[in-house]
Amino acid sequence: RRHGAGALTPVRGACHDARRVSEQAGSWKGVLFGVGLAAFAAYQQFKLPVVLPVLLERYGYERTLAGGFVSVYAVAGLLLSVWAGRLVERGGAARPVLAALGLVAAGSLPALLAPESGLAVLGGRALEGLGFAVLAVAGPVLANANAPRRSLPLVIGLTAAWIPIGQLTATALAPLALATVGWSLLWWVGIAGAALAAAAVPALARDPVVVLSPARRGASAPSGALSGRERATLMVVACVFGLWSGQYFAYMTWLPQYLVEVHGLAVRGALLGYVVPVAFVAVFNVVTGAVLRAGVPVGPLMTGAIATQVAVWWLLPVTGGDWTGAVSLVVYGIGAGIVPTCLFASPSAVVGAGRSTAPAFGIVMTGRNVGVLVGPVLIAWIAGDGERWNEGTRVFAGLTTIAMVLAAVFWQRLRAAR
């Protein structure tokens, strides 16, 4: 026994050394798992907009209800984001992530079983939204917790790409789905993805280098408790995220339908137009991470990027299906790549290095969920049956302008805190 007990000592020491190395070098496996979880959550949310024109034609959903299919995700987020951040920080991510993946899979079933019932689809999307709320917090937190210290800005840029990665995945699958079994393929892929991710959790939990409990890595760091000033600054960020995500999700939920109704494109052509800004979003998420790593302050970068999107919204009624519309999509995509990277970098910028960002992410993601709740439904209500799209663009131009002003306030608060 004595020999056996002694034989365990090197193993324990090796695990301890591996974890200590993990704290310095990080784990790219853990980073990719965190980004993958968040991207999978985004796929679940955006699998619907890419086939929404087909669903509207086939099942005749009322448009405000159809906007609710996306916005309902935000209801769960409003209820769970702050709680999810605290839960992941205190107890680790494994159990919350497994529960969230189960909810996502269960929520896919009502649409598959009763697609003609708008209320059934809405209920299923609500269940998916509960899982999404946890994954949208746990994914970025795990990516940051596993990031090599010197590569944190790049990881933040990669983390911010979770939305366009999910969008691009759904958009790439949509033509295949419509050409074969139909829109339901996107839902079955979501169920399969949830099963694969759930199978990966136990394996990662056994890896001594991967961090599934952010508090473990920051055990020697200062307390994660937020000061009053930090909380106030994060509330400003949450307001920016709310306004920005409201206009972004309004734009991205209804862009395919807008291109079909206003510019007369077929569904496949509308999907191509949808891909253009999303591709630029993904590229500039990562580019912005590199820019932040080079030392460019997050405040002015975010304010300037929102300003470009303000211009796109105000000019949307005069840009058409020609080169002006193409330029509008590109410029919007560039701005939409820069802004979320800055928003996801904001918690670290506010609380500083060496502290858990989970509580800060909970606050910031609450703001995002408010925007997701309001944006798609608001523009659907304003546009009505498609005859008042221009009125909707003016409203969102004004809201995005307010977001730009609040981003400038955040910039000044960061400068004053130095």
Side-chain angles (χ1 to χ4, degrees), residues 91-161:
R95 289 182 180 179
V97 165
L98 287 173
L101 292 170
L103 287 169
V104 166
S108 299
L109 296 178
L112 293 171
L113 297 175
E116 70 284 352
S117 170
L119 291 179
V121 175
L122 183 65
R125 295 284 289 177
L127 280 178
E128 291 178 12
L130 292 173
F132 173 92
V134 176
L135 297 178
V137 172
V141 168
L142 289 178
N144 285 3
N146 284 280
R149 293 301 183 198
R150 296 183 62 183
S151 300
L152 182 59
L154 286 176
V155 171
I156 289 173
L158 184 61
T159 302

Side-chain angles (χ1 to χ4, degrees), residues 160-173:
W162 65 283
I163 294 177
I165 291 172
Q167 286 180 274
L168 288 172
T169 304
T171 307
L173 284 174

Side-chain angles (χ1 to χ4, degrees), residues 324-415:
T324 60
V327 170
S328 174
L329 292 172
V330 170
V331 172
Y332 186 89
I334 292 173
I338 296 172
V339 175
T341 307
C342 294
L343 287 166
F344 280 107
S346 298
S348 296
V350 172
V351 305
R355 293 172 60 190
S356 172
T357 57
F361 266 109
I363 293 173
V364 170
M365 292 301 291
T366 297
R368 174 190 177 276
N369 287 319
V370 172
V372 178
L373 173 64
V374 175
V377 173
L378 179 59
I379 197 167
W381 177 70
I382 295 172
D385 57 1
E387 299 295 325
R388 298 189 301 275
W389 283 112
N390 285 345
E391 294 179 21
T393 62
R394 286 191 291 269
V395 170
F396 281 89
L399 293 175
T400 312
T401 302
I402 298 172
M404 178 185 68
V405 172
L406 288 176
V409 172
F410 167 65
W411 174 12
Q412 294 304 313
R413 289 184 68 88
L414 281 184
R415 292 179 60 187

Side-chain angles (χ1 to χ4, degrees), residues 14 41 47 49 149 154 181 207 226 253 265 268 319-320 356 385:
K47 68 188 179 186
R149 293 301 183 198
L154 286 176
V181 301
D207 191 322
L226 299 170
T253 298
L265 299 181
R268 293 181 184 273
T319 54
S356 172
D385 57 1

Side-chain angles (χ1 to χ4, degrees), residues 199-399:
V201 172
L204 292 171
R206 291 191 295 268
D207 191 322
V209 179
V210 176
V211 175
L212 290 186
S213 178
R216 187 184 77 192
R217 182 171 184 176
S220 61
S223 170
L226 299 170
S227 69
R229 180 175 180 81
E230 288 170 343
R231 189 173 295 275
T233 302
L234 289 166
M235 290 297 294
V236 174
V237 178
C239 289
V240 175
F241 214 163
L243 290 166
W244 184 85
S245 62
Q247 60 86 34
Y248 180 82
F249 277 82
Y251 189 94
M252 287 300 177
T253 298
W254 290 101
L255 180 60
Q257 189 69 22
Y258 175 81
L259 293 174
V260 168
E261 288 188 345
V262 176
H263 297 295
L265 299 181
V267 173
R268 293 181 184 273
L271 289 177
L272 180 61
Y274 184 83
V275 164
V276 172
V278 176
F280 277 91
V281 170
V283 170
F284 276 86
N285 283 152
V286 180
V287 169
T288 305
V291 170
L292 292 173
R293 187 184 186 190
V296 176
V298 65
L301 187 61
M302 180 165 64
T303 305
I306 296 177
T308 65
Q309 295 189 292
V310 169
V312 169
W313 274 109
W314 283 115
L315 293 174
L316 198 58
V318 298
T319 54
D322 54 9
W323 67 269
T324 60
V327 170
S328 174
L329 292 172
V330 170
V331 172
Y332 186 89
I334 292 173
I338 296 172
V339 175
T341 307
C342 294
L343 287 166
F344 280 107
S346 298
S348 296
V350 172
V351 305
R355 293 172 60 190
S356 172
T357 57
F361 266 109
I363 293 173
V364 170
M365 292 301 291
T366 297
R368 174 190 177 276
N369 287 319
V370 172
V372 178
L373 173 64
V374 175
V377 173
L378 179 59
I379 197 167
W381 177 70
I382 295 172
D385 57 1
E387 299 295 325
R388 298 189 301 275
W389 283 112
N390 285 345
E391 294 179 21
T393 62
R394 286 191 291 269
V395 170
F396 281 89
L399 293 175

